[in-house]
Structure formats: structure tokens, C-alpha cells
Amino acid sequence: MNCTAEGVLGNHLYSGRAVGISAPDDVLMLHPQLQTDWYALCAHYERIGLDHSRQVVWDVDLGRLNDFADHQPSLFFFGPEEHQVRPDPAWHSAVESMNCKNAFMTHAERLGVPVPLTRCFADVRAIGEPAIAETQFPCYLKAAVSVSGVGIFRCADADALRRACDEFAPGTAVQIQQEVRAETFLNLQYQSDNGCAERLAATEQVLDGYVHQGNRHPAAHAPWELVDPLADWLGEIGMRGVFAFDLAVVEEPDGDDYLAIECNPRFNGASYPTLIAEKLGITDWLALAFGTRHRRLIDLDLSGLEYNPATGTGVVLVNWGPIQVGKFLALLAGEREQQQALAIALQGRL
């Protein structure tokens, strides 16, 4: 809740994503509004063979973390509020550094990680006419700290850049970044514990224009070696849990180039289907967002479409909570043709 845009519909219901990635011994903190669909979800997971915790605290107040001092917290984002309740200075410092796009550029260049041409400014007011005259268009003006695409403007020319600058309050740190010409964008995820970062999964973003619709595994590219230095460094300085890097695949006549765009020092949308697929042994999957007229999970008819462990194909609910506002995220397991068929069949029931 402290790291997603307020305008995201049903944001308070997203905590339900934690159920599928949990283990039976875990304690889950879920929004009380999710109780309505709890038994329907448990029945779905039982049918498909996905074990999970049933120890639920129907409360998302961070103060409740202190009720479980013997448990290691697993949090979507370890920000200032989370750190205040369960202090971990090293973890918080790592997150704070990588959550700033300007700091990411500094560390990427220091460790030799290729990035797009980017100029960083501690204050948007520092972007004067000389800086604008040196800019290659089109470009993006980005807030150094932003979530869900808020505070990011595409600028086709100098006038657009000037207008975009006016959208920020004085004192806001920003960056001007060249537009990357790419058809494919990757998400390389890591898990870190006890000072060691390990590769988790490489997924490919599914886009509708510029809008992120979902993720696919396996990705056509997996250039781990490019961001391993950053991941290793983050692990060494205290990063915990899941984090990821977004990369662009730039097709050149003599081969593909890869550019690191940013680091998400937290779980992201691809993390939940990735971890659920790992638990179920699913190697080929598509995670996709759907809209629906249904407002209760029990009304969603998955008969004949649910994941079947015997065949390794079918539908797994991932972000099920926001069905109460007419949307959800599902994992579609199987080869690409099967994924497409499942998507069409599921869409027909929504």
C-alpha cells in the first residue's frame, strides 16, 4: 500500500496475491474485505494442488508485524513505515537507494551495467534552456522516485519537455532519458537472503502499446550476466526477498543489445506468478490481467479450465482479490497455443 499509486483500482485488495506464494507455516496478513472470497479461493487451490497458509490475520496494519516477532517479515516493499515497525537498517538502505532512478543510474554506471543515455537532476528547476537544447528527442522525463508509471512523461520535442517540467513541484529530483527503441522488455528477478542474491526467473513483459498487460515465461532472452554485478552488490549490502531489473532488448543488425532501465527493489507483478509456477513445477506460462462482470470469486466458472497437475495446463488464480472491483490476474499454464486457447475460453466466461 505504501508503494503503489493511489489511483490503482482495488489496490487495497492486492494483498491476496500473497496467499498462493505462502507456505503452510506462514502467517498471512490480508485485508478484511478479502474474507468474502476466502473459501472459494481455498477450494480452487485445493483442487489444483497448491498448498498455502491458512493462518490468516484479517488486518493489514503494519503494527501487527510486532505480534509475530518470531517470524521473518516478507513484504511487498520495505519502506520507511515498514522499517520503523521492524527495523532492518541494511535492508532499508538497499531499498531506498535502488528505489531512486537517479541512484540506480549511478550504481549501474559504477558497475559497468549498460543503460540508456540518461541525465540526472537533483531538482527539476535545474533543467534550463541549455539542458533542453542538448536533449535528443523523443525522450522521457521521469521522477527519480515513481510508482505505476506516475510521474513519467514522454516528450516529443522541446515544448513538450518544458510542459512536463512544469508538472513537477520545485525540488523534485528527475531524469531525462533517451527513448529506447525496443519491441521486447524483460524482467530479471532475484531472491536475496543472508547476503547472497540468486537468480529467480527471467520473464518477458506482455504489452498493449505502452500498457503492461502481463508477463510470460520463459523469456526469449535472459542476459543475466549484465545485471549480476548489481544484484550481487545489492545482496552484499543487505537486500532481502525478491527484487528485479527491467531491461530493454534493442535489436541491432549485428545482434541484440540490452539496456537496464531500472531496478524494482521489491516484489513486482511478475513475482507472484513466478513463485506460484515454481511451487507447481510449471515451466511455460502466461500471466494475464482480465476484466470481468463478476464481483464474487464463487461466480467465476473455471470448470474444465482449472490447472490440472496431470497435464500441466490450465488456469491458476494469482491476484484474485480485486475481482470485487471487476478484475483479476490469472496464470495460464501450457505451451503458447494452449495459453491462447485458455485466454479465449476464460474471456468467454467473464
Side-chain angles (χ1 to χ4, degrees):
M1 291 292 289
N2 294 326
C3 186
T4 48
E6 292 181 7
V8 175
L9 183 65
N11 184 42
H12 62 293
L13 302 169
Y14 279 32
S15 59
R17 295 182 294 186
V19 179
I21 69 172
S22 68
D25 290 340
D26 294 336
V27 176
L28 290 165
M29 291 177 59
L30 301 179
H31 194 283
Q33 198 172 323
L34 294 170
Q35 290 185 74
T36 305
D37 295 310
W38 174 250
Y39 291 108
L41 178 78
C42 289
H44 166 63
Y45 281 167
E46 188 169 343
R47 287 191 299 269
I48 67 173
L50 180 63
D51 63 354
H52 61 90
S53 172
R54 294 177 187 249
Q55 302 179 72
V56 182
V57 176
W58 297 107
D59 190 350
V60 290
D61 184 336
L62 287 173
R64 297 297 302 273
L65 288 172
N66 285 328
D67 296 344
F68 304 94
D70 58 332
H71 283 66
Q72 169 65 35
S74 174
L75 298 157
F76 175 78
F77 177 73
F78 194 72
E81 294 86 352
E82 292 81 359
H83 173 54
Q84 187 173 6
V85 177
R86 291 288 292 268
D88 188 325
W91 188 6
H92 180 239
S93 177
V95 169
E96 193 172 47
S97 180
M98 281 294 98
N99 199 46
C100 173
K101 291 179 172 60
N102 287 356
F104 168 76
M105 287 297 159
T106 299
H107 293 302
E109 290 172 6
R110 175 175 63 86
L111 293 170
V113 177
V115 296
L117 178 63
T118 306
R119 289 178 295 159
C120 300
F121 301 86
D123 187 337
V124 67
R125 291 175 298 184
I127 302 176
E129 288 305 314
I132 293 174
E134 294 173 2
T135 301
Q136 298 179 26
F137 295 97
C139 70
Y140 284 91
L141 180 66
K142 301 180 177 182
V145 179
S146 69
V147 294
S148 302
V150 176
I152 299 177
F153 300 88
R154 184 180 186 274
C155 305
D157 52 35
D159 285 340
L161 179 55
R162 293 187 189 98
R163 290 193 299 272
C165 288
D166 291 338
E167 295 290 327
F168 294 99
T172 303
V174 299
Q175 62 179 225
I176 298 176
Q177 187 172 89
Q178 72 172 118
E179 182 175 59
V180 178
R181 302 285 186 177
E183 298 284 331
T184 303
F185 292 87
L186 308 172
N187 185 256
L188 301 188
Q189 297 183 76
Y190 291 80
Q191 270 185 316
S192 180
D193 258 317
N194 301 317
C196 182
E198 297 183 351
R199 297 172 180 178
L200 176 59
T203 60
E204 194 172 307
Q205 296 183 16
V206 178
L207 302 171
D208 181 8
Y210 295 105
V211 181
H212 183 220
Q213 296 292 321
N215 295 84
R216 173 175 277 117
H217 182 274
H221 310 258
W224 293 104
E225 63 284 354
L226 265 68
V227 289
D228 276 343
L230 260 177
D232 291 340
W233 172 73
L234 274 173
E236 290 166 4
I237 66 170
M239 185 69 200
R240 299 182 70 92
V242 175
F243 63 97
F245 300 95
D246 288 338
L247 285 81
V249 181
V250 182
E251 297 180 5
E252 300 288 1
D254 56 349
D256 295 326
D257 285 337
Y258 306 97
L259 297 174
I261 306 295
E262 65 181 17
C263 173
N264 295 313
R266 53 171 172 79
F267 281 74
N268 60 59
S271 305
Y272 302 92
T274 293
L275 292 170
I276 287 176
E278 187 178 67
K279 286 175 67 175
L280 293 172
I282 300 169
T283 56
D284 292 76
W285 54 266
L286 168 67
L288 211 55
F290 292 89
T292 178
R293 69 181 188 279
H294 301 302
R295 295 297 182 270
R296 299 189 311 163
L297 209 56
I298 198 169
D299 294 330
L300 182 62
D301 179 16
L302 295 179
S303 58
L305 299 180
E306 272 186 329
Y307 177 71
N308 183 340
T311 63
T313 62
V315 176
V316 181
L317 295 177
V318 178
N319 193 14
W320 51 277
I323 195 170
Q324 295 182 24
V325 294
K327 62 179 185 177
F328 64 92
L329 182 92
L331 180 153
L332 311 178
E335 301 291 336
R336 289 217 178 188
E337 288 185 4
Q338 293 167 317
Q339 295 168 9
Q340 185 67 19
L342 286 167
I344 293 170
L346 181 55
Q347 190 66 55
R349 302 185 185 187
L350 303 181

